[in-house]
Amino acid sequence: MRLQSRRARVPPIELGLRALRFGERVVTPARGLAVVALAATITLGASQFSDYRAVEIGAPSYTGVEDVAPAPQTDQRSPRSAHGLTVLAIAVAAFFVTAFAVGGRWRLARLLIVLGVAVVLISLLVDARQGLREGLAATTYEGATATLLGGFWAQLSSGVVLAVSGPLLAVYLRAERGGRRTRSLGRRSERGVPAGTLGAPAAGSGAEGVAS
């Protein structure tokens, strides 16, 4: 009975160890960063189809109760009204750059820095300036105040994530590639094939070919 109870306790432990080893092989830093970069590109593209600014009417009158009864909004606009399709094109480009980098061209991950910084600059220098202008609403409504909505902050944060994850992704992808190459050479050397002679013709084969 004691032996059976001990055997019953071992499988869960072994299962946990196997799951841990599997997670270490599958969930690598490079793959985690790739998921983060892809999620940022998707969020960036989705932000282009939501409102990024609006004008609140009579905002001072709703001070202190904005959580219960927020000020009515008008003149909502999507970020495409400020910069066109530029950021959407950057999101598509970042998606393919990440995919190709994960596919083996790790140097392309560095382009995410440029794309992310471009999104940040467009958000701060173009969208924020235009989004905080009341325009005609200031003369039409009393107490009109322009405000930036969630679409703007989603776009800005996505650009920051791309700019930060780009160099880290390149570093980890390069390290994984070097690790795979080292393991491959190690397995070949264990089989008795020296790493320096891989692909080289066998000694004396050329002379035997000439003799024949």
Side-chain angles (χ1 to χ4, degrees):
M1 296 296 293
R2 292 181 179 178
L3 293 176
Q4 292 180 357
S5 62
R6 290 179 181 177
R7 291 176 182 176
R9 294 175 184 174
V10 171
I13 298 176
E14 292 182 354
L15 183 62
L17 293 176
R18 291 177 183 177
L20 181 60
R21 288 193 293 266
F22 178 78
E24 290 176 351
R25 292 194 304 268
V26 176
V27 185
T28 62
R31 292 177 181 176
L33 285 169
V35 171
V36 171
L38 289 175
T41 60
I42 295 174
T43 303
L44 181 60
S47 68
Q48 302 307 294
F49 299 94
S50 61
D51 295 332
Y52 91 103
R53 60 93 65 183
V55 177
E56 295 181 347
I57 303 171
S61 302
Y62 292 85
T63 303
V65 296
E66 59 271 8
D67 294 335
V68 180
Q73 296 180 347
T74 185
D75 197 19
Q76 293 92 344
R77 295 182 184 180
S78 69
R80 287 174 291 151
S81 64
H83 54 245
L85 298 176
T86 304
V87 175
L88 184 60
I90 291 176
V92 174
F95 182 87
F96 284 104
V97 165
T98 305
F100 286 132
V102 174
R105 302 179 180 180
W106 61 269
R107 292 181 179 85
L108 289 177
R110 298 171 180 172
L111 291 177
L112 295 178
I113 307 173
V114 179
L115 297 176
V117 171
V119 172
V120 172
L121 292 178
I122 292 173
S123 301
L124 297 179
L125 300 181
V126 178
D127 297 352
R129 288 184 177 182
Q130 296 188 22
L132 293 177
R133 294 176 181 175
E134 291 83 3
L136 295 176
T139 58
T140 305
Y141 303 98
E142 183 179 357
T145 304
T147 183
L148 298 174
L149 304 179
F152 171 82
W153 301 110
Q155 173 181 298
L156 179 60
S157 59
S158 298
V160 173
V161 171
L162 288 176
V164 173
S165 62
L168 295 176
L169 181 60
V171 170
Y172 282 110
L173 286 175
R174 182 181 181 182
E176 281 194 358
R177 182 180 180 182
R180 287 194 298 266
R181 184 176 300 175
T182 302
R183 289 191 296 269
S184 177
L185 293 176
R187 286 193 296 267
R188 292 176 180 178
S189 62
E190 289 177 358
R191 296 173 185 173
V193 181
T197 60
L198 293 176
S205 60
E208 290 177 2
V210 174
S212 61

